[in-house]
Each structure stands twice: as C-alpha cells, then as structure tokens.
Amino acid sequence: MIIDGGPRIYMNTGAMIAAFAEGVREGGGETKIVRLYDIDYKGCRSCMACHIKGKCSASCLYVDGLTETLKECVEADGLVLATPIYYGEMTGMMRAFWERLTFPWLDYSKGVLMAPKRMPVSFIYTMNGSPANGEKIRRSSMRSVEMMTDMALSHELGREVEAVMANNTCQVNDYSLYNFADGTAESKQQWHNTHWEDDLRKAREAGKRMIKTEF
Ligand SMILES: Cc1cc2nc3c(=O)[nH]c(=O)nc-3n(C[C@H](O)[C@H](O)[C@H](O)COP(=O)(O)O)c2cc1C
C-alpha cells in the first residue's frame, strides 16, 4: 500500500511513488496507490471507540472516506508513506491519516504501539531543502513518526527506518511564471539534471528491497 500524502499527482512526490512502485513490480509484487487528497476525511476525533474494554479494534472505527484504506493498510504486506515536506513536516493530510492509522494500535494498558500484522514500512520525502536540510527535518520532525510506525509494524525496537528523499526539487515546471529569486530556474535545473534520475533510481531500489523483505 502506497499512501500519497501530496496534492500533485504529476509532480515530484507522484514521480517518486511511481518509481517505487516500478521497483516493487520488478521484484514481482503489486502496489496499490491511494491519494489522500482525493479522499474526504479528518484526523483522529478521539472518539476512543477503538479503545473500549473488551472491544478494542486494530483499525479506526470512525466511518468516513478513509475507512476502506485504513483496513487495506493493516492487511497489506508493506506500507509506504510518501509526502512532500510542508513547513518542515509531513503534510497535514498525511498527519491526519497517520493519526487514524496508528491510534488504534496503541495499547494503553500495556504501553505499547503494535499493529496486528507485521510488515515493512518505507517513507518517501520530497522537498526544496538540501540533503543536509532533509536530514535535519528527519531528525527534528519525522524521526518519531518513522520510529513509531516501524516499531508498530515490525514489532521490533529501534531498527533503522528506510526513507528515500528527493531534495531541491523543481517546485514548478516554469519558474519564469512565479515570484522566485533571480537565478532559481537555472540552479534548480542544474540540480535536477544531476540528481533527479538518481532520486528515482533510489526510489525504485527501495521498492525492490521492500519486496524482498521477509516478515
Ligand atoms: C505549503 C508548502 C510548504 C512547504 N514547506 C517546505 C519546507 O518547509 N521545506 C522544504 O524543503 N520545502 C518546502 N516546500 C516545498 C515542497 O516540499 C517541494 O516543492 C516538494 O517537492 C513538493 O512536492 P510535489 O512536487 O510532489 O508537490 C513547501 C511547499 C509548500 C506548498
């Protein structure tokens, strides 16, 4: 299951997702891509229905546009969370999805977060920031999300989490139309020419790796 937390299907995050999916196919697997911006839903409402004594549920019981996708995620053989970085974090849509996905996995009585089925998880990020900036974003805002998701799905503590990043992405197709600093178009194009193919290759390889991961 690949969850696309970005709004633009034909831009950077969409392309990285397509490359990841290609890698999965090359490895003999199948993917389903779900675009969160096409779905009508909100984040966790704290209704606590998933935590009722004797009736705990491993997937969110609030019925809306996300219900089917959440069920498919807990039954999948692997999960990919892909998001452009907005203000140093995942998009609001991805955050709202993630709350809905993981809150039912939290067992307050035992103090553990555990999904019902084990599977590998990967993250895909695209952003304006440099690779160093991307690592900072991972450390400051995404690490806990990555670790909690991986721990819940792998049932193991403190593993290294797979994340593929595309940095310094072309934010628009034609920089001459938008209010950017002089020289942005040229420097973006230069970076794109020297890094983009490699970013897509890393995403493809991560897809191939995921299919080989056994749980
Ligand atoms: C609302 C908004 C906030 C953004 N904030 C950041 C940011 O904090 N850091 C960054 O590196 N890029 C930021 N960006 C740039 C996007 O992360 C980047 O262009 C990304 O590759 C867009 O993905 P897409 O082409 O799939 O839409 C922001 C873009 C938008 C629209």
Side-chain angles (χ1 to χ4, degrees):
M1 278 296 284
I2 304 182
I3 306 300
D4 182 355
R8 305 193 295 183
I9 186 167
Y10 297 118
M11 292 295 281
N12 300 285
T13 313
M16 290 289 279
I17 286 172
F20 191 103
E22 203 180 303
V24 170
R25 275 196 301 280
E26 280 171 25
E30 289 168 25
T31 55
K32 175 165 182 177
I33 300 169
V34 174
R35 304 197 63 248
L36 295 179
Y37 277 75
D38 290 343
I39 303 175
D40 194 13
Y41 70 97
K42 290 190 167 61
C44 176
R45 290 165 193 262
S46 198
C47 69
M48 299 301 283
C50 58
H51 292 291
I52 291 172
K53 249 185 209 159
K55 290 188 194 169
C56 290
S57 168
S59 79
C60 176
L61 293 168
Y62 188 88
V63 178
D64 66 3
L66 206 56
T67 301
E68 195 52 36
T69 298
L70 292 169
K71 278 202 194 116
E72 287 176 310
C73 285
V74 289
E75 289 162 7
D77 298 316
L79 182 67
V80 181
L81 303 185
T83 182
I85 294 299
Y86 282 5
Y87 294 112
E89 303 190 13
M90 57 187 152
T91 60
M93 296 292 276
M94 179 57 88
R95 171 72 201 198
F97 162 82
W98 188 75
E99 290 169 4
R100 296 277 298 280
L101 178 72
T102 58
F103 192 59
W105 300 345
L106 182 59
D107 184 336
Y108 279 115
S109 71
K110 299 193 183 106
V112 294
L113 186 78
M114 198 175 274
K117 182 179 170 188
R118 297 182 72 214
M119 69 182 83
V121 62
S122 289
F123 290 80
I124 296 174
Y125 307 122
T126 76
M127 68 194 78
N128 269 335
S130 65
N133 214 276
E135 283 307 328
K136 250 189 232 164
I137 288 169
R138 271 191 86 185
R139 278 199 302 278
S140 62
S141 71
M142 294 309 300
R143 174 169 279 173
S144 65
V145 170
E146 290 178 7
M147 283 178 62
M148 283 166 74
T149 316
D150 185 70
M151 184 186 68
L153 286 166
S154 72
H155 300 183
E156 284 173 37
L157 270 174
R159 290 161 16 111
E160 198 168 316
V161 183
E162 171 98 80
V164 190
M165 263 196 276
N167 300 97
N168 202 7
T169 54
C170 287
Q171 194 164 358
V172 292
N173 288 324
D174 182 352
Y175 275 86
S176 71
L177 300 176
Y178 301 91
N179 191 27
F180 284 94
D182 290 347
T184 306
E186 292 74 14
S187 64
K188 282 282 184 179
Q189 193 58 49
Q190 202 181 0
W191 182 278
H192 183 86
N193 293 344
T194 48
H195 292 80
W196 182 238
E197 281 308 315
D198 204 40
D199 292 336
L200 294 175
R201 183 188 53 74
K202 281 188 278 178
R204 255 192 321 273
E205 283 171 5
K208 267 195 228 168
R209 262 197 305 284
M210 179 178 269
I211 214 70
K212 287 194 196 122
T213 312
E214 288 196 11
F215 270 100

